[in-house]
Amino acid sequence: VLDRKQLFVEAVRCDPDNGLAYNSLGLVMAAGEQVKLHDGRVLSSRELLVRGIQIDTDNKCGFGRVALAVTLPPKETATLHDGRTLNSRQLLQEALAGDMDLDTGCARVVGYDYAVAIARLGEQQALVEAIRDNNVKAFAVAALRRRLKPGETIRLADGTVVRRAASAPALSLPTAAAAGGRSGRASGTSQRASTSATGRATTAAAKDQKSRTVAAEAWLSSA
């Protein structure tokens, strides 16, 4: 049984001119890891992603830039096939340029926030979910927002405004105590009922998050 990395190695062997195969293989590899391809080349994750971007240049496919951006450590840059050296923010901005194609739909799944997914899973696994849901653009916007300076706003080529709050609060679920503190009128009984409801909602959310992660892993294993 082939694991997900071996599956993508096989995809490269079957179609060595498919940039998505190189980009997918580079995305699932760990930082600094290398893999030997069918033609004897030994490439790192970054080299695979750069190669995938090069292959897809004529197709104006932005996925490889998104994958390369989320695998770059902070403050590091990558040199593309054309000699340009870009950081993760610049790669994401290029991927979101008006002439780039990220996916076929770009329609966001209602109620699913990729900023939350990134915080929960990390960027690489959240991107895997975005691929499965065909929401790479929504993911790329969330990833770009994380790279803006506090209070900074930029406008993308399609008119989308990306803004980072001057002081973004930590992500957290609302609690009954917090709600009661804001209103100042909640009774002890209603607070206990709200706490119970919040607990049930949190449990349901945790189950949903786990199922989405399992589904994402399954997508990679069957790709």
Side-chain angles (χ1 to χ4, degrees), residues 13-188:
R13 184 190 70 79
C14 293
D15 190 359
D17 294 323
N18 186 335
L20 181 59
Y22 286 87
N23 290 329
S24 299
L25 176 57
L27 179 63
V28 301
M29 289 171 56
E33 185 180 2
Q34 293 183 318
V35 65
K36 186 174 182 178
L37 302 182
H38 64 285
D39 57 7
R41 287 178 297 164
V42 178
L43 301 180
S44 66
S45 170
R46 188 174 303 185
E47 289 169 332
L48 287 163
L49 292 167
V50 169
R51 176 58 180 157
I53 292 171
Q54 181 181 9
I55 292 173
D56 281 336
T57 297
D58 292 340
N59 298 330
K60 295 292 185 180
C61 180
F63 169 70
R65 287 169 172 79
V66 178
L68 180 56
V70 302
T71 57
L72 274 181
K75 300 182 179 180
E76 283 197 20
T77 58
T79 301
L80 301 186
H81 61 283
D82 57 10
R84 292 180 302 136
T85 300
L86 304 178
N87 60 28
S88 62
R89 171 173 168 168
Q90 292 168 326
L91 286 163
L92 287 167
Q93 287 184 267
E94 279 203 0
L96 289 163
D99 61 344
M100 284 286 174
D101 179 27
L102 282 175
D103 47 42
T104 58
C106 292
R108 183 170 175 157
V109 172
V110 176
Y112 197 66
D113 190 335
Y114 282 101
V116 176
I118 290 171
R120 173 169 59 87
L121 301 172
E123 287 189 327
Q124 284 183 244
Q125 185 61 37
L127 177 53
V128 169
E129 292 208 6
I131 297 167
R132 183 178 65 85
D133 292 337
N134 196 25
N135 279 325
V136 177
K137 181 177 180 181
F139 169 87
V141 169
L144 176 59
R145 182 180 293 110
R146 299 179 76 234
R147 288 161 172 80
L148 299 182
K149 298 176 182 178
E152 184 178 2
T153 300
I154 63 173
R155 184 180 296 273
L156 303 181
D158 64 358
T160 301
V161 175
V162 184
R163 179 182 297 108
R164 180 175 175 181
S167 57
L171 291 170
S172 61
L173 287 171
T175 63
R182 286 194 297 270
S183 67
R185 294 191 298 271
S187 67

Side-chain angles (χ1 to χ4, degrees), residues 3-9 25 28-29 33-35:
D3 62 23
R4 57 186 183 179
K5 184 174 74 174
Q6 292 169 326
L7 284 168
F8 287 127
V9 169
L25 176 57
V28 301
M29 289 171 56
E33 185 180 2
Q34 293 183 318
V35 65

